[in-house]
Amino acid sequence: MKPRIFLKLLFSLFVASLTTAAVSAPRSEVVSKIETDQKWIAITFDDGPNPVYTPQILDLLKQYNAKATFFVLGKRVQMYPAIAIREVNEGHEIANHTFDHHFLKNYPAQKLVDEIRQTQEVIFDITEQMPHVFRPRADFITTLCSIR
């Protein structure tokens, strides 16, 4: 992958924040940053696994001995299980990003809970890892922020 394309990919896919480490236990509150006196960066990717880009990303992360969190869609984990397994086997965190990326604004609460659970089950059945983090679509967060 050419450096210029890689940088564009990084800017479009990375969400950087200062953090000390991935959360190891489930939490019920929204965490957007963690105060620390050390400089860290959290590398995250959404909407995968993707059969073209995710293997390239994994190769680059491996090359630089870097770890990331992959917020995956349950439907895509079912479609590309080997890639999700590779993410876990290479030491990356795998996290829940809904089953099929619905716009969640008008979703009934129980249906959202069911979709999160369905995705949790799919990820666990395929990777044997239970996600501890959920990220909704960005437009859902924007909608929530504008309501407050």
Side-chain angles (χ1 to χ4, degrees):
M1 184 180 296
K2 294 180 180 180
R4 185 175 240 164
I5 294 171
F6 175 67
L7 287 175
K8 286 181 182 180
L9 181 63
L10 286 178
F11 283 117
S12 67
L13 297 176
F14 282 12
V15 174
S17 66
L18 295 178
T19 181
T20 56
V23 177
S24 60
R27 297 172 73 160
S28 60
E29 73 273 6
V30 174
V31 177
S32 60
K33 70 178 182 175
I34 298 172
E35 295 298 324
T36 179
D37 58 351
Q38 298 178 6
K39 291 187 178 187
W40 293 81
I41 187 167
I43 304 170
T44 67
F45 298 91
D46 290 1
D47 306 338
N50 178 291
V52 175
Y53 298 111
T54 305
Q56 293 178 44
I57 291 166
L58 288 167
D59 291 344
L60 284 168
L61 292 169
K62 191 175 201 174
Q63 179 181 347
Y64 291 99
N65 196 27
K67 300 298 177 199
T69 300
F70 288 85
F71 286 90
V72 298
L73 302 176
K75 183 177 185 176
R76 295 187 70 80
V77 170
Q78 286 179 328
M79 292 168 60
Y80 309 106
I83 299 172
I85 291 167
R86 179 179 171 196
E87 291 170 351
V88 169
N89 286 345
E90 293 183 7
H92 304 287
E93 180 179 23
I94 194 162
N96 190 325
H97 193 50
T98 73
F99 187 77
D100 55 8
H101 219 258
H102 285 295
F103 179 64
L104 303 174
K105 180 181 177 188
N106 298 318
Y107 236 48
Q110 188 57 52
K111 192 169 182 180
L112 176 58
V113 168
D114 292 344
E115 182 162 332
I116 292 170
R117 284 189 181 138
Q118 177 187 17
T119 305
Q120 293 287 99
E121 290 171 10
V122 166
I123 293 169
F124 182 79
D125 288 347
I126 290 172
T127 68
E128 299 180 354
Q129 295 291 312
M130 184 60 72
H132 295 288
V133 183
F134 167 74
R135 176 185 285 168
R137 285 175 42 153
D139 53 3
F140 183 70
I141 297 292
T142 303
T143 300
L144 287 178
C145 290
S146 66
I147 291 171
R148 292 182 183 179

